[in-house]
Amino acid sequence: MELHNLATRFLELRAQYWQAADTGQPTGRLFQQLTTLGRRILATLDRPGGAAPGPVKASDVAGILLDAYGRELTTHQSRVRTYRQVKEHWAEAEEVTPHATPDQLRNFLAGRAQYELQEGRASEALALVDQATRLPHGPSRPPHGTPPAPYGDLRVLRAEALYRLYDAETALEVLAPLERELAAVLPGGPIDESDPEAMRPLAARLAGGGAGRATAARLLQASTVYFRLLDVKAGALRDTGRPEAAERAYLMGMPLYKASGLPEAGLLQLARCALDRGAVAEACGRLDLAAPLFEDAYTEDRSSMRAHLRLVRGAAYCRMRAEAARLSKTDGWWEQALHWCDRGARCTADHPDDSLAAGLLAERARAHQGGKDRAGAARVYHEMALALDRVLRVPLGHRFDTLHLRFRRPLLEEALAFAGATGDARLCAVVTDLLKARAFSARLSLARSDARSTPDAAAVAITGQDARNGPDHGAFAELTEGIADADRHGLAEEADRMRVERAGLLTRIRATDPRWHLIRDDPPFDPDRLTRFLAAYGTAAPGSNPGRCVALSLYERPDGILALLARPDGRLDIDIRRLDKNALGALEAHQRELREGGVRLDFWVITASVSPT
């Protein structure tokens, strides 16, 4: 009787919680009551004899709790959760996963991945998708809680994570087979549930009951996935330089945005495509339609999901407003742009996002330049460079590190061009150090996964902390043994094939290894710290005293070599030198030696052979 009463109250709390969450009401108290009671029921069921046939099963309770843990992070919050608080929240949810079915756990991991994507943590989302993909499929749907992950959901999530990691090409490759499958089921495209004509055939199936109802449900589920696929595909198309194709995909997805009560999400994407095409008036029209959500804090029809959209996309809205002001070239455009940048900064303060912050800072720096404020532009470009450096906090392997650098480099080169034109040595030092450090980090990753390298066992050792990634580590070990065996038997082509496969596997291990996610912050480069070090540094040369050493940094620019000299007296000197034909010849000869190999390299001998001095 006690368990029956607890289960009845538990299901009542579940209904109350979701009603509050869906209408934007406070959920904290209901969430605590629901989770406390759910854990009490699980403890009762775990006792000897507690799992006898009764009103509820442990998996039913676990499914409901996991759904609530996933939903609670997206309800309207009076304060922003820190990264540590989010981790603690998920850790509490993990405590009930032993009671969940594989389908419930897969859905939970997929929901977590979606949340991490919204928070800008694509590498963590990719790790969660990998975990969910490896789970076995259950024989049937649970009677309570959420059904299994929607049709194709994991492929869409994987593609979105890759797209957010700047690998748009691979994201499109992941989506292509899923899109063909969906097109075979829905040849006319996704179903617009707001269109009575489009819903009439499904209404007839639903009215028929039985198999017809099940078919209609599957079509609606496939249609939802189709809309999500179009959203991710459009973003990937835009990042690969195809704004017109991206715009067509977003327009196909607008019915779902409207049906979900979030038309502003689609309007922002369409405005972004219009700006990419230079259609400023069209972009402003789209932004005007979205303005009530992002500018009117007292909109009465705002649900919790709409409030969440305003929280996570408010900075993007403000950045596009600032960009539209700049592209309009109207008198005093920079004042309008700075106004929107100020509003955007408040958005990023409420919901920190380094990627959005960097975009806003870039627009702010351009606005300062438009207003002839060079000092302000230099300060903001410096902040932008640091924000960009924080976007990718940990190395994810050669491919992702290189793609990140390629995607972010235009903004850094813009800051560097400004620093060179204004003679700002400090800004040059920060930006060139960041660019070279990122390139070097990517190159080190390549050395670990190169076709001819064999990482040591520590690089792929399995620990209890990453047990869920065990299959990847096991496959890596098998490939390493296979490569050695193929080399011993002279099977060069087979060995090279396995090396390529192993390199890709190592990249995935690096991207999904949870140990890398523990690294959150590292100190940025500080030119003043360097000059203080030089002032105190002495050499072993006879008669050498502290303060007699300098540091020279060289960076290749289209117009020459950017040279930065750090002195022990705190000065930073900057100059750009064009290379003459002799220097270029020496470098080209050196590059040929590096590519060809087999000869002991001596740069000074090469230089002497091509230079008359």
Side-chain angles (χ1 to χ4, degrees):
M1 180 59 69
E2 179 189 5
L3 182 59
H4 183 277
N5 293 337
L6 292 176
T8 301
R9 177 56 181 158
F10 181 69
L11 295 177
E12 291 174 354
L13 283 172
R14 176 206 184 199
Q16 294 173 16
Y17 172 81
W18 282 97
Q19 182 181 10
D22 291 340
T23 56
Q25 301 301 313
T27 59
R29 181 179 58 83
L30 287 170
F31 176 75
Q32 290 298 328
Q33 291 177 351
L34 180 68
T35 54
T36 300
L37 186 56
R39 291 173 183 276
R40 181 179 172 184
I41 294 174
L42 290 176
T44 301
L45 293 172
D46 285 341
R47 291 201 299 262
V56 68
K57 295 188 298 185
S59 60
D60 300 341
V61 177
I64 293 172
L65 290 178
L66 291 178
D67 288 349
Y69 272 103
R71 184 67 176 88
E72 182 64 12
L73 282 182
T74 61
T75 57
H76 184 67
Q77 298 295 321
S78 59
R79 59 183 177 84
V80 178
R81 283 185 170 89
T82 65
Y83 180 77
R84 182 181 296 277
Q85 289 170 332
V86 170
K87 285 297 184 185
E88 291 172 351
H89 179 87
W90 292 132
E92 289 180 9
E94 288 279 356
E95 294 174 0
V96 304
T97 56
H99 300 279
T101 66
D103 284 336
Q104 290 171 332
L105 184 54
R106 183 181 299 104
N107 187 75
F108 169 67
L109 292 171
R112 281 186 61 183
Q114 186 64 56
Y115 175 81
E116 297 299 342
L117 285 171
Q118 292 174 353
E119 297 299 304
R121 296 189 283 265
S123 61
E124 299 190 32
L126 186 60
L128 292 164
V129 171
D130 279 346
Q131 292 177 24
T133 302
R134 289 194 287 265
L135 289 172
H137 289 271
S140 62
R141 287 175 52 172
H144 297 284
T146 306
Y151 177 78
D153 241 20
L154 293 180
R155 281 179 285 179
V156 175
L157 285 172
R158 180 179 297 281
E160 185 171 0
L162 290 168
Y163 152 62
R164 298 290 184 88
L165 288 168
Y166 317 107
D167 195 353
E169 292 88 351
T170 304
L172 291 172
E173 293 174 4
V174 171
L175 292 176
L178 175 58
E179 186 170 14
R180 288 193 294 269
E181 295 173 23
L182 292 169
V185 177
L186 298 166
I191 301 168
D192 183 356
E193 297 182 38
S194 63
D195 183 357
E197 288 297 323
M199 289 296 294
R200 185 170 287 114
L202 288 179
R205 289 178 182 272
L206 289 170
R213 182 182 295 272
T215 300
R218 285 195 298 270
L219 290 175
L220 288 173
Q221 189 180 57
S223 180
T224 300
V225 175
Y226 208 152
F227 276 119
R228 294 195 59 223
L229 179 148
L230 290 172
D231 185 71
V232 178
K233 177 183 177 181
L237 287 170
R238 185 163 55 81
D239 278 3
T240 53
R242 289 174 276 180
E244 293 84 1
E247 193 166 25
R248 288 193 296 271
Y250 281 131
L251 286 170
M252 287 182 65
M254 275 303 295
L256 180 65
Y257 293 126
K258 294 177 181 177
S260 62
L262 300 172
E264 294 85 358
L267 290 169
L268 288 186
Q269 303 289 18
L270 290 170
R272 179 68 265 167
C273 291
L275 287 173
D276 290 344
R277 292 188 286 105
V280 179
E282 180 184 336
C284 289
R286 305 282 192 189
L287 293 172
D288 288 342
L289 293 174
L293 175 66
F294 295 103
E295 297 185 38
D296 182 4
Y298 303 99
T299 302
E300 295 180 359
D301 67 345
R302 184 177 303 147
S303 68
S304 62
M305 292 304 294
R306 288 174 62 76
H308 188 69
L309 177 65
R310 182 178 188 269
L311 180 69
V312 300
R313 300 299 293 166
Y317 171 83
C318 293
R319 181 199 173 179
M320 282 189 276
R321 284 293 195 186
E323 184 177 351
R326 173 172 56 84
L327 295 176
S328 70
K329 295 182 170 55
T330 57
D331 292 340
W333 65 265
W334 55 88
E335 295 177 348
Q336 299 177 42
L338 287 173
H339 164 75
W340 287 110
C341 288
D342 288 340
R343 293 192 61 159
R346 292 195 289 272
C347 292
T348 54
D350 292 336
H351 184 265
D353 186 313
D354 289 316
S355 180
L356 288 175
L360 274 169
L361 290 167
E363 288 299 333
R364 182 184 290 277
R366 294 160 187 162
H368 279 304
Q369 290 186 76
K372 309 302 181 184
D373 181 6
R374 287 189 170 185
R379 173 180 52 80
V380 175
Y381 271 131
H382 183 268
E383 294 176 13
M384 181 200 75
L386 299 182
L388 286 175
D389 193 35
R390 291 192 299 269
V391 171
L392 186 65
R393 298 173 185 266
V394 298
L396 297 177
H398 178 259
R399 179 167 178 77
F400 289 141
D401 285 4
T402 302
L403 288 168
H404 171 264
L405 182 58
R406 185 180 72 180
F407 191 84
R408 297 297 180 183
R409 185 167 181 168
L411 284 181
L412 294 170
E413 290 287 354
E414 177 185 326
L416 193 55
F418 170 83
T422 58
D424 191 325
R426 181 180 177 81
L427 181 58
C428 277
V430 171
V431 175
T432 55
D433 179 83
L434 192 157
L435 282 165
K436 292 198 290 186
R438 285 293 182 183
F440 186 57
S441 174
R443 185 62 185 84
L444 288 177
S445 297
L446 179 62
R448 297 298 299 273
S449 58
D450 186 77
R452 294 290 172 183
S453 68
T454 303
D456 54 69
V460 293
I462 301 176
T463 67
Q465 192 174 24
D466 62 349
R468 285 180 177 170
N469 292 320
D472 281 345
H473 292 283
F476 188 96
E478 291 177 3
L479 285 169
T480 299
E481 294 176 2
I483 291 169
D485 186 65
D487 283 337
R488 283 194 299 270
H489 291 85
L491 303 175
E493 292 185 3
E494 178 65 12
D496 287 342
R497 182 195 64 77
M498 287 190 288
R499 287 188 179 100
V500 171
E501 183 178 352
R502 186 183 65 174
L505 188 60
L506 181 58
T507 295
R508 189 169 77 180
I509 291 172
R510 289 286 298 278
T512 61
D513 191 331
R515 290 171 296 185
W516 288 105
H517 303 156
L518 299 176
I519 306 173
R520 303 304 302 170
D521 293 292
D522 57 342
F525 173 69
D526 183 2
D528 293 337
R529 185 177 181 183
L530 172 62
T531 54
R532 288 195 300 270
F533 172 80
L534 293 173
Y537 184 76
T539 70
S544 174
N545 297 312
R548 296 183 59 84
C549 296
V550 297
L552 178 66
S553 174
L554 303 177
Y555 185 82
E556 185 178 6
R557 297 276 295 152
D559 54 347
I561 298 296
L562 175 64
L564 186 74
L565 185 68
R567 301 174 180 272
D569 60 2
R571 290 171 51 199
L572 291 171
D573 295 334
I574 181 177
D575 195 8
I576 296 180
R577 294 294 181 90
R578 293 184 180 275
L579 296 179
D580 58 24
K581 292 182 178 179
N582 290 331
L584 289 172
L587 290 173
E588 290 172 0
H590 187 56
Q591 288 176 350
R592 285 195 299 271
E593 293 289 346
L594 289 173
R595 287 193 296 267
E596 295 169 3
V599 179
R600 186 173 183 274
L601 300 175
D602 191 332
F603 179 75
W604 303 111
V605 172
I606 296 171
T607 305
S609 67
V610 298
S611 175
T613 59

